[in-house]
Amino acid sequence: MFKTLLHYRYFILSSIQNELKSRFVRSKIGFLWLIIHPLAMVLVYALILSALIQIKLPETAIPNAYPIYLTAGILAWFIFSESLSRSLNLFIDNANLLKKIAFPKMVLPIIMMGNVLLNSLLLLVAILVVFAFLGHFPGWQILWLPMLFGLTLLLGTSIGIILGVLNVFIRDIGQIVPIVLNFMFWLTPIVYTITIIPEAYQKWFDLNPMTHLVAAFQDVLLYNREIQFSELFGLFLVSIGLLGLGFFLFKRANAEMLDQL
């Protein structure tokens, strides 16, 4: 696998570059839109929810803690939802490429992950600038971010590839998943804290993998705490298992997929 990726490295890099350019080919401010959209989302939530809901964050006396808490959660959600949504339509969007050009199909998820990672890094830079403006500077725990980025990207991609294969045969899946993602966003402690949920229901939130990843981003970026490594290692093993299942389904359905595309 690594030998194949190394052989096609220029194809992968040029594809990432071309996709980035094509998205903003006639835009005046180009890639800045990648940052503006999620930051606008943070601004709306921070202004409205801060005014309507008196959210008190435990274990911190940091001024402007709520916008920082919210931004850290949205960064995690952005990586997950982008990687899952793009994987969902990965094979349909690249139907012509799959039919006309002979190349290892495994490079398609790598190109997609490269684009999501690049967009996420640009967003992170913008977020750190906002944090500095608010007078907050994350501690050394920020060194955990590369691992959190990789794990969140792996989880979103592994689920997305499974759904992407199924979406080729059952196009309703492509319509259902955005609805599920909307519900999942509100069932993840991003705009609220888990402590406002009645204790009897909190255990159900633990079943949501994004609860743990969002909490890890908030620990690192707001609370300057170390991550709960044992919880995330379990999530890593699940993600690897889902990724293996996704590639297994793709390999088994490869011939039929080309007929359906």
Side-chain angles (χ1 to χ4, degrees):
M1 178 178 176
F2 292 107
K3 188 176 179 181
T4 303
L5 294 178
L6 186 63
H7 181 73
Y8 283 89
R9 63 188 183 280
Y10 295 117
F11 174 71
I12 294 171
L13 292 175
S14 63
S15 297
I16 293 173
Q17 188 179 30
N18 291 336
E19 183 177 326
L20 190 63
K21 286 181 178 177
S22 65
R23 290 182 65 184
F24 308 105
V25 64
R26 294 185 178 177
S27 171
K28 298 293 183 185
I29 58 175
F31 68 85
L32 288 178
W33 286 114
L34 295 173
I35 300 169
I36 292 173
H37 285 297
L39 284 183
M41 184 178 174
V42 169
L43 185 63
V44 169
Y45 283 135
L47 290 177
I48 294 177
L49 293 179
S50 296
L52 296 180
I53 307 173
Q54 295 299 317
I55 295 180
K56 294 182 179 178
L57 298 178
E59 305 175 33
T60 181
I62 298 173
N64 301 308
Y66 180 65
I68 297 169
Y69 174 89
L70 183 63
T71 306
I74 286 182
L75 175 61
W77 183 258
F78 176 82
I79 301 170
F80 174 74
S81 61
E82 276 286 295
S83 55
L84 195 155
S85 300
R86 289 196 183 200
S87 301
L88 177 67
N89 295 305
L90 189 64
F91 306 115
I92 295 175
D93 290 344
N94 292 283
N96 288 331
L97 197 63
L98 289 168
K99 290 178 179 178
K100 296 178 180 177
I101 301 176
F103 68 100
K105 309 300 185 294
M106 73 173 66
V107 303
L108 286 179
I110 301 298
I111 293 170
M112 181 279 299
M113 292 172 77
N115 273 295
V116 174
L117 182 60
L118 182 60
N119 297 345
S120 303
L121 289 174
L122 289 172
L123 178 60
L124 174 63
V125 171
I127 284 173
L128 292 178
V129 171
V130 172
F131 283 4
F133 180 76
L134 294 174
H136 175 67
F137 299 92
W140 66 266
Q141 293 83 0
I142 198 172
L143 296 176
W144 287 110
L145 274 186
M147 194 201 78
L148 294 178
F149 268 57
L151 181 54
T152 310
L153 193 58
L154 179 64
L155 178 67
T157 302
S158 59
I159 297 173
I161 288 177
I162 294 173
L163 295 173
V165 172
L166 298 176
N167 192 32
V168 173
F169 301 97
I170 310 171
R171 298 299 171 95
D172 299 285
I173 291 176
Q175 304 299 322
I176 294 171
V177 169
I179 299 172
V180 174
L181 280 176
N182 276 330
F183 277 106
M184 194 173 170
F185 175 83
W186 289 103
L187 292 174
T188 304
I190 296 173
V191 299
Y192 55 86
T193 64
I194 191 70
T195 54
I196 70 170
I197 304 297
E199 194 170 341
Y201 298 108
Q202 289 184 12
K203 59 183 179 183
W204 296 108
F205 282 74
D206 288 339
L207 299 177
N208 177 0
M210 283 307 295
T211 295
H212 306 288
L213 280 170
V214 165
F217 274 80
Q218 291 160 345
D219 281 344
V220 167
L221 290 173
L222 171 62
Y223 296 110
N224 292 338
R225 291 192 299 225
E226 292 193 48
I227 60 174
Q228 300 296 319
F229 189 77
S230 58
E231 291 180 357
L232 298 181
F233 184 69
L235 200 53
F236 170 74
L237 294 179
V238 171
S239 300
I240 290 294
L242 291 173
L243 187 66
L245 176 61
F247 279 116
F248 172 76
L249 290 175
F250 174 75
K251 190 174 180 180
R252 290 294 298 270
N254 187 27
E256 291 84 356
M257 283 174 62
L258 294 178
D259 293 333
Q260 294 289 330
L261 289 170

